[in-house]
Amino acid sequence: MIHKSGQLSPLGGRFPGSLSVKSLTKVYDGAPVVSEVSFSLPQLRVVALAGGNGSGKSTLLKMIAGVTSPDAGSVVWNEESLPAGDCKSARSRGIELIHQDGGLCHERSILENLFLGREHVSRIGLLRMSHMRSLADELIARYELPLPGVGAKVRHLSGGQRKAVAIGRALLSKPRLLLLDEPTAALGVKEQQMVLRTLRELAAEGVGIVLCTHSPDEIVEVAEHLLVLSRGELIGNLTLPGPTKAELALMMST
Amino acid sequence: MNRSSSSPDSASALSDHRAISTATVFFAYLAAIALYRPSFFSGTNLSSLLYYACLLAPAVLGAQMLMVLGLFDLSAGAVAAVSGVVAAQAMISGYTIPLAILIALVCGLAFGLVNWLLVSRLRLPALIGTLITAGVAKAVALGISNGVVVGGLPLQLDVLALGGTPIRYAVMFGVLLCMLAEVASRYHVVFRRMYQTGDNREAAEMSGINVKCLELTGFLLASGGAAMVGILQISRTLSASPTIFNDLALEVIAACVIGGTSVRGGKGWPIGAFLGMMVIVASRNLAVQSGVDIFWRDLAIALVVLASALLTRDDKKLL
């Protein structure tokens, strides 16, 4: 795998973490968006969370990350119950969520976005620019992220490059579990491949990955486990490789 | 892969064309003045322009940071007036000058806190929230001064605004503040976060940045700056008027816009805002100098604001 041991490695633990979710429920305006979802993944590597629009994938992901607080149920990560709706404590345990739109500041540089909210600063709050720049360069080289110099503005980047910035930002905090909301949506084929390749590399390093997706191709390509949601309920929980792409497409359309 | 990491813009507060636009407006304005009235460029006149801009610098720089967050403060003038009156009353009541100034600053900051409570906590629009504060501040200024100019301030007070040779302390202070703001806006984490929040508030919040806290900082900088302006004013005239600074809030906003700060937030640079204030002061000065009715000054400022706003528009389409 990659590369020399720099300041970025080791990334999290080398062993897969365990995630279990117990009767997680979220209700919006009286209608359950996620209802009573339970599953247990003792050795979480790459899990695909599939389902159509409105199936509750994003909400489930956000509840795991603590961004949204559930109306009922709990999330247990590495035998430890996470406080509900507390994204800071989820982060401190190495859980990082990458939003669908990336959550980037478009008028700011790649560097600023990589360190958004977690800048390295001196005692009086001055940014340690050269330190951050070398960390960013190291990260970009290590995962071969297709980014120009870190001074470029995000506004000028392609969709895939923006996704790379969003993923890079999560990686800088050495996550153990990476939650991605449709990481390949609205990307070209090449850029999709870049994102999937990066995810595979991370999985090989022991970072757990849960990604929402519509795409049977993507599931077959990267996932080792599949959860299928439909109208907020878990209707499929299976290990891959198993079903063919056609069977997957059929499952996801229900 | 091109990974040139030396690009200087990585922390840059000025977004490429905005700095150029500001400079263009500034120098075009100077050129227009040069054609119209060459005597404008005498050394004494220019240094007096710099002086008056420096007297207003704290308010401009504070307002600029607030505007970077996508907010603004219409109470600046009223807060400057009330701070001046409070300082004056305190001095007359026997407090020492430093203590009186401290009380006035705290008073100004208190109005900033009220602005923040109304806008960030009670979620009133900045337009409404700061207008309310302006009304309160104005009433307080009139109330504690009985509506008349407070005079008879200690003579030593004038050292703030008039002391220092050959360069006045006020000018040094204004220029230093400007430099400090410029450096901080590029390299200090709090100020960088203001730009990031102004750019994409949701992204900033999701990344764990305490946006409410930044907004408090912004409102305090704006009102603290306004209070300093009020104190410099009473130091210059040795009297405090409760009805002064009626135009300050809008002038300060105009200065920021001329200087390339975006009202929507996320863009702008402190030195630009200061140059914008120079343009406004120059317009005032020019009107007086050339014997044109002072009423036309606002027209000149309006035209400069128009030119600057057009040049720094993000969408360059015509109509």
Side-chain angles (χ1 to χ4, degrees), chain A residues 209-251:
Chain A
I209 288 172
V210 179
L211 72 156
C212 285
T213 180
H214 293 294
S215 150
D217 292 328
E218 211 166 289
I219 296 168
V220 170
E221 197 163 333
V222 294
E224 297 178 10
H225 200 94
L226 173 67
L227 300 169
V228 186
L229 283 179
S230 173
R231 298 201 190 99
E233 290 179 30
L234 189 66
I235 59 163
N237 183 345
L238 49 151
T239 305
L240 299 175
T244 63
K245 282 183 195 175
E247 285 166 335
L248 286 174
L250 195 66
M251 280 178 76

Side-chain angles (χ1 to χ4, degrees), chain A residues 133-203:
Chain A
R133 207 171 274 149
S134 65
L135 282 180
D137 284 340
E138 194 185 332
L139 175 88
I140 291 170
R142 181 182 164 126
Y143 292 101
E144 294 173 32
L145 300 178
L147 295 175
V150 294
K153 273 189 196 172
V154 166
R155 174 159 60 96
H156 300 306
L157 301 181
S158 70
Q161 289 175 316
R162 289 178 194 192
K163 201 56 82 179
V165 174
I167 293 174
R169 174 155 87 204
L171 294 184
L172 279 169
S173 58
K174 301 171 189 169
R176 302 239 20 223
L177 175 60
L178 209 52
L179 310 168
L180 300 104
D181 195 354
E182 310 227 359
T184 59
L187 296 188
V189 177
K190 255 189 164 170
E191 299 193 309
Q192 289 185 359
Q193 289 306 320
M194 178 277 296
V195 170
L196 295 179
R197 190 202 68 218
T198 309
L199 294 184
R200 273 195 300 267
E201 285 173 15
L202 289 170

Side-chain angles (χ1 to χ4, degrees), chain B residues 11 28 32 41 55 66 72 81-82 104 110 139 251 255 266 282 298 308 310 318:
Chain B
F41 292 96
L55 288 180
L66 193 58
F72 54 89
V82 76
E251 274 182 356
D298 289 336
S308 180
L310 286 177
L318 272 174

Side-chain angles (χ1 to χ4, degrees), chain B residues 195-229:
Chain B
Y195 282 86
Q196 292 153 357
T197 303
D199 187 344
N200 187 345
R201 191 190 154 106
E202 215 187 343
E205 267 173 346
M206 286 190 306
S207 74
I209 290 175
N210 189 341
V211 170
K212 292 250 184 291
C213 183
L214 283 182
E215 287 175 346
L216 176 62
T217 311
F219 276 119
L220 291 180
L221 285 173
S223 61
M228 284 189 211
V229 167

Side-chain angles (χ1 to χ4, degrees), chain B residues 254-268:
Chain B
C256 293
V257 171
I258 294 171
T261 303
S262 166
V263 186
R264 287 198 203 90
K267 292 175 198 163

Side-chain angles (χ1 to χ4, degrees), chain A residues 3 6 15 28 32 47 56 59 69 71 89 139 145 149 178 195 204-205 209 226 228 236 239 251-252:
Chain A
H3 278 307
F15 304 102
Y28 282 123
V47 178
T59 310
S69 47
D71 291 315
S89 80
L139 175 88
L145 300 178
L178 209 52
V195 170
E205 291 177 19
I209 288 172
L226 173 67
V228 186
T239 305
M251 280 178 76
M252 288 161 63

Side-chain angles (χ1 to χ4, degrees), chain A residues 79-172:
Chain A
E79 327 286 271
E80 199 183 355
S81 193
L82 297 176
D86 181 355
C87 65
K88 280 202 173 141
S89 80
R91 270 195 195 146
S92 70
R93 290 169 172 82
I95 300 179
E96 286 287 327
L97 171 66
I98 297 175
H99 292 259
Q100 191 167 0
D101 72 354
L104 302 177
C105 295
H106 291 218
E107 293 296 327
R108 305 268 72 89
S109 67
I110 292 174
L111 188 67
E112 275 191 69
N113 274 284
L114 284 174
F115 289 93
L116 191 68
R118 298 178 208 182
E119 304 87 347
H120 293 247
V121 295
S122 69
R123 219 161 355 126
I124 56 164
L126 291 177
L127 298 169
R128 296 171 61 198
M129 296 302 295
S130 56
H131 176 63
M132 290 196 283
R133 207 171 274 149
S134 65
L135 282 180
D137 284 340
E138 194 185 332
L139 175 88
I140 291 170
R142 181 182 164 126
Y143 292 101
E144 294 173 32
L145 300 178
L147 295 175
V150 294
K153 273 189 196 172
V154 166
R155 174 159 60 96
H156 300 306
L157 301 181
S158 70
Q161 289 175 316
R162 289 178 194 192
K163 201 56 82 179
V165 174
I167 293 174
R169 174 155 87 204
L171 294 184
L172 279 169

